Structures are given as C-alpha cells and as structure tokens.
Amino acid sequence: MAVTRFSVSLEKELLSELDQYVKDNNFANRSQGLRHLIEKHIVEKKWQCNNIVAGAIVMIYDHNKKDIVTKSNEIQHDNYGLILSSQHFHLSHDTCLEIIAVKGKAKELTDLSDKLISIKGIKHGKLIMSKAD
Ligand code: NI
C-alpha cells in the first residue's frame, strides 16, 4: 500500500508520551506507533457497538462515471435490509449528492458505508450514526 507523508503538530508533553509509547511497545519509530494507535482506535470504535443505530451515509460523486452508480446499486441491493431510503440530488451538471438513510447494527452500517465509500471515484463519503432508541 502506498504511504503518504504528512506532518503532525503535537504539544511537547504529548510528543514525549508518544515516544514513551513507541519505546514501551518496541515500535521501530513514531510512524509505526501512530499507525498502531490510529488502527486500534478505529477498529475498536467500529466493533464496540453492536446495538441498533440509525444514520445516514452521505456520498458525493460524478455520475458520468457509470461504474459508480452500478456498483453502488449492487451494494445497496445486497444490503437492502439496512437501508430505509435513499435520496439523490443533482448538485450540478456533473456532481451528485446521495443520502442513504440506514438502520441496523453499528458494525453492519460501518461495513456497508466502507463498501460504498471505497467505490473507486467517490469524491467524498461519510457515515453518520446516532442511537436509534
Ligand atoms: Ni445526479
């Protein structure tokens, strides 16, 4: 997988905490430590909650890329049980906004959202979840 470099600004104390974390866990460097922390946090967040939540998947894409619409439809039909409704707005000549209202286990919604948002060509994608009860 391609690696992107970016710079991070941290307070001194937080940086020394990171260095301590890197040392404690025998990571090769700060990047490896940070990567581990991010993955751990995101995976935990995804798996933590198995209760029923409701939310929306928001996607922006260029409808001229026909594969996106086909693929998105396929994924949505495969998961019809999680989808309450979807709304499509033609934002401009080329750009579409799609809002898909969803309800189900947080993990299932996260998986569905990951599948949709990772379709090649999707410009922006986001899942918003909220407690349903
Ligand atoms: Ni459109």
Side-chain angles (χ1 to χ4, degrees), residues 82-101:
L82 298 173
I83 295 172
L84 300 169
S85 81
S86 70
Q87 222 170 352
H88 185 111
F89 303 88
H90 311 302
L91 285 185
S92 70
H93 186 266
D94 298 317
T95 309
C96 300
L97 162 67
E98 201 166 320
I99 302 174
I100 306 164

Side-chain angles (χ1 to χ4, degrees), residues 58-62 68 91 95-98 121-126:
V58 180
M59 300 192 294
I60 304 272
Y61 59 86
D62 181 341
I68 296 180
L91 285 185
T95 309
C96 300
L97 162 67
E98 201 166 320
I122 297 274
K123 280 189 207 156
H124 302 289
K126 198 176 168 76

Side-chain angles (χ1 to χ4, degrees), residues 65-77:
K65 296 177 179 163
K66 299 293 175 204
D67 288 355
I68 296 180
V69 180
T70 310
K71 188 86 188 123
S72 167
N73 260 322
E74 237 172 67
I75 295 168
Q76 291 190 51
H77 277 276

Side-chain angles (χ1 to χ4, degrees), residues 32 39 53 94:
Q32 199 187 0
E39 282 170 357
V53 294
D94 298 317

